[in-house]
Amino acid sequence: MSNVKFLSGENVPLEMHKVRMVQKVNLLPVEERFKSMKEAGYNTFLLRNRDVFMDMLTDSGVNAMSQDQYAAMMQADDSYAGSETYYRLEKVLQDIFGMEYFLPAHQGRACENIIAQTLVKPGMVTIMNYHFTTTKAHITLNGGVVEEILYDEGYKIKSDAPFKGDIDVDKLKESIKRNGPENVAFVRIEAGTNLIGGQPVSMANMREVSQICRSEGIKLVYDASLLGDNLYFIKIRDPKYKDTKIIDITREIASMMDIVYFSARKLGSARGGGILVSDKALFLKMRELVPLYEGFLTYGGMSVREMEALAVGLLETMDIDVISQTPIIVEALCNELIKNNVPVVTPPGGLGCHVDASEFCSHIPQEEYPAGALAAAIFIASGVRCMERGTMSEQRNDDGSERLAEMELARIAVPRRVFTLSQVKYTADRISWLYRHRNMIGGLKFVEEPKVLRFFFGRLEPLSNWPEELAKQFRKDFGDSL
Ligand SMILES: *Cc1c(COP(=O)(O)O)cnc(C)c1O
């Protein structure tokens, strides 16, 4: 823990910023929380923010910006083509990543669209530590297949392994051999790894994967959306990098990759996204798609104001006091829950605390969406909005059967520098109450089910009147308090 500041004696995370602008939030009484959850079809995506006390749905586009980011927004150079803002951002990216070419895009999935259209041909396989929802959707849309080669420890809910996002190198070699290198569209490393609990990837693993890809002539793509968290974990969990500057770790990672892309809704606490590449031919090929899908090359779907905020935010990401903020709060939330026996993914990762719904709701079969039911129950118990990351987030098989997720998680995201420690403790307290009443939580079923990315818009119903009973129990236990 060498570089992270704690209050002495206790393991209390220390915020390295002060709050100078606030937004009032409302905490509705439990009866109204139940009512708004019902109206939202038991899908936390469909809740209205005015009914939400703490919005912990995601870390995407909801991170607090710094005063320097806001100040930079005022100096944006408005123009369709040739904006100075673009050149400022390009220079920051080239300096940080040491890669020559930059393509702007409106968010992370837009980068995935461009990369998939350029590299994926029908029947080709894309090999990765673990998929992300939008990544997989773009690859399959282009006729490709996704193969996951996470090492086995990564699938375990409880573990001491410091880098659970690592690729199993033997599985990688086997997959390349089986498919033939010419049929591999690219290998992708996602670090941190979103859907398995924000778990990091080690430098040694990236290096080994990079060497294999180079010797086989396969392109290596790096999803850097959660790079800030991953840099923090490398710095504090890998003794070899204890004294290395964050920017030097970043450059070393980039030097192993052919393409680096990111969602700036997370990385740099701004909005937008972009692709970095060193190879000119590949750059030119991907460049053709930017004006078609994003906008002219000097804005790519971003406003000049968000580009200025991003340039500053990226530089701030090179500061341990900035990137430590989410992981230490995540760790505090996990520790509070563990104290009360609530099952969570360990070790704590980046982006949020992941509650293990398969143990929390072990009485609910996967076909009845235990993680979705838990997310709805958490909202009723606390007004905290979190996200289902389990079977609901999967897509049905072609024959209509359910594709059961490897993990059933309720993800309580921690937007960067937004919530205070007392709010985090409140969250843990309410979830711990819910855990004591876990047997009251029942299953859900879809009543409206979109074919693609159903978790965004789908509507569900409880299989009994358990949500109402839960709200009544809450009132009984909490008396007049909200
Ligand atoms: C959020 C995210 C994306 C997609 O980015 P958007 O800006 O939401 O389109 C891709 N990969 C990872 C790892 C992410 O966390």
Side-chain angles (χ1 to χ4, degrees):
M1 291 283 152
S2 56
N3 294 291
V4 186
K5 299 169 182 74
F6 287 100
L7 292 178
S8 60
E10 297 169 70
N11 224 9
V12 178
L14 191 56
E15 286 97 344
M16 295 305 292
H17 48 262
K18 60 180 183 179
V19 179
R20 296 177 57 231
M21 195 191 285
V22 295
Q23 178 183 357
K24 191 181 177 304
V25 285
N26 298 313
L27 180 54
L28 297 177
V30 68
E31 292 77 12
E32 288 177 43
R33 299 200 294 262
F34 159 61
K35 212 173 119 226
S36 42
M37 194 68 263
K38 185 177 173 181
E39 280 164 8
Y42 294 92
N43 179 349
T44 53
F45 274 97
L46 302 181
L47 284 165
R48 288 188 61 162
N49 221 17
R50 62 171 189 206
D51 299 336
V52 171
F53 175 51
M54 285 165 70
D55 188 8
M56 303 180 91
L57 184 76
T58 173
D59 62 330
S60 173
V62 287
N63 300 297
M65 293 205 297
S66 69
Q67 57 183 6
D68 291 347
Q69 286 183 286
Y70 279 110
M73 289 170 90
M74 294 297 112
Q75 307 172 29
D77 179 25
D78 258 315
S79 69
Y80 188 87
S83 165
E84 276 307 308
T85 293
Y86 170 80
Y87 292 105
R88 274 197 282 273
L89 175 59
E90 183 189 49
K91 173 144 194 336
V92 166
L93 283 161
Q94 286 166 338
D95 283 352
I96 289 178
F97 290 93
M99 295 174 96
E100 193 166 350
Y101 303 105
F102 164 56
L103 293 168
H106 77 275
Q107 62 185 92
R109 68 199 68 186
C111 305
E112 290 168 343
N113 173 43
I114 291 167
I115 294 165
Q117 282 206 39
T118 306
L119 296 179
V120 177
K121 304 277 167 290
M124 277 184 144
V125 58
T126 304
I127 310 171
M128 56 186 73
N129 48 351
Y130 207 74
H131 77 281
F132 184 70
T133 50
T134 54
T135 324
K136 190 171 177 176
H138 279 295
I139 289 165
T140 43
L141 203 63
N142 284 281
V145 180
V146 168
E147 241 181 74
E148 289 164 340
I149 48 161
L150 190 68
Y151 88 132
D152 292 341
E153 191 71 20
Y155 290 106
K156 290 191 191 143
I157 299 276
K158 291 185 179 127
S159 164
D160 294 324
F163 295 101
K164 277 168 82 184
D166 277 2
I167 278 177
D168 185 325
V169 172
D170 291 331
K171 287 188 204 164
L172 173 63
K173 288 182 189 155
E174 186 280 324
S175 174
I176 295 171
K177 204 166 160 201
R178 175 166 37 80
N179 291 295
E182 67 284 2
N183 296 316
V184 179
F186 57 92
V187 171
R188 172 177 172 274
I189 298 179
E190 184 182 307
T193 314
N194 192 324
L195 297 190
I196 60 156
Q199 297 295 325
V201 179
S202 69
M203 290 297 270
N205 192 248
M206 290 188 230
R207 201 171 301 119
E208 215 179 338
V209 170
S210 172
Q211 279 160 3
I212 293 169
C213 289
R214 292 218 163 130
S215 73
E216 298 280 1
I218 296 170
K219 296 233 164 356
L220 183 56
V221 176
Y222 186 76
D223 182 342
S225 302
L226 301 174
L227 173 66
D229 300 339
N230 210 85
L231 288 168
Y232 166 80
F233 288 122
I234 288 168
K235 184 111 176 119
I236 68 150
R237 290 185 186 171
D238 186 341
K240 280 208 195 95
Y241 288 88
K242 188 163 71 71
D243 300 318
T244 313
K245 282 200 229 142
I246 304 278
I247 192 162
D248 291 335
I249 305 177
T250 308
R251 285 189 190 137
E252 193 177 332
I253 293 173
S255 73
M256 303 175 205
M257 309 294 159
D258 296 295
I259 294 177
V260 171
Y261 76 93
F262 60 92
S263 166
R265 298 175 64 84
K266 295 148 196 167
L267 185 66
S269 293
R271 305 283 188 286
I275 303 173
L276 289 143
V277 53
S278 299
D279 180 73
K280 188 164 186 190
L282 188 55
F283 163 72
L284 292 175
K285 238 170 134 183
M286 290 194 287
R287 191 176 73 172
E288 289 172 17
L289 299 172
V290 174
L292 281 177
Y293 291 96
E294 304 304 311
F296 188 70
L297 285 168
T298 55
Y299 71 91
M302 286 184 274
S303 78
V304 281
R305 268 161 290 282
E306 54 197 23
M307 287 162 78
E308 291 284 359
L310 172 56
V312 174
L314 286 165
L315 289 170
E316 290 175 348
T317 300
M318 299 296 112
D319 178 351
I320 189 83
D321 281 346
V322 172
I323 57 174
S324 65
Q325 295 302 295
T326 296
I328 62 174
I329 291 284
V330 169
E331 190 178 346
L333 178 52
C334 287
N335 287 345
E336 287 287 320
L337 290 169
I338 291 167
K339 256 196 264 171
N340 293 304
N341 303 315
V342 177
V344 298
V345 172
T346 58
L351 100 127
C353 168
H354 295 70
V355 181
D356 176 17
S358 50
E359 191 184 326
F360 200 114
C361 302
S362 57
H363 54 289
I364 304 177
Q366 274 192 288
E367 292 81 359
E368 296 175 9
Y369 314 123
L374 179 56
I378 287 174
F379 179 74
I380 293 170
S382 64
V384 170
R385 158 154 72 170
C386 67
M387 190 190 290
E388 193 271 3
R389 291 277 81 151
T391 297
M392 255 174 81
S393 298
E394 295 285 342
Q395 209 157 300
R396 281 184 191 270
N397 298 317
D398 291 339
D399 65 1
S401 61
E402 283 284 5
R403 197 192 134 85
L404 302 177
E406 267 119 8
M407 291 188 186
E408 294 288 342
L409 305 175
R411 181 187 80 184
I412 303 154
V414 175
R416 294 168 182 85
R417 297 182 290 189
V418 170
F419 294 119
T420 63
L421 192 55
S422 45
Q423 289 172 321
V424 166
K425 287 192 166 186
Y426 162 87
T427 306
D429 183 67
R430 291 295 164 88
I431 294 174
S432 302
W433 172 84
L434 186 62
Y435 186 66
R436 294 193 289 278
H437 295 284
R438 59 189 177 279
N439 289 330
M440 294 188 74
I441 306 172
L444 298 171
K445 66 163 194 261
F446 271 105
V447 287
E448 279 174 40
E449 186 178 344
K451 263 206 150 68
V452 180
L453 299 174
R454 62 183 181 174
F455 60 91
F456 279 137
F457 304 121
R459 301 184 70 85
L460 302 101
E461 260 176 16
L463 294 168
S464 67
N465 65 344
W466 67 262
E468 196 171 1
E469 293 301 320
L470 187 69
K472 282 185 191 155
Q473 183 68 42
F474 181 96
R475 180 55 69 219
K476 220 170 105 193
D477 290 2
F478 284 83
D480 286 341
S481 60
L482 295 176

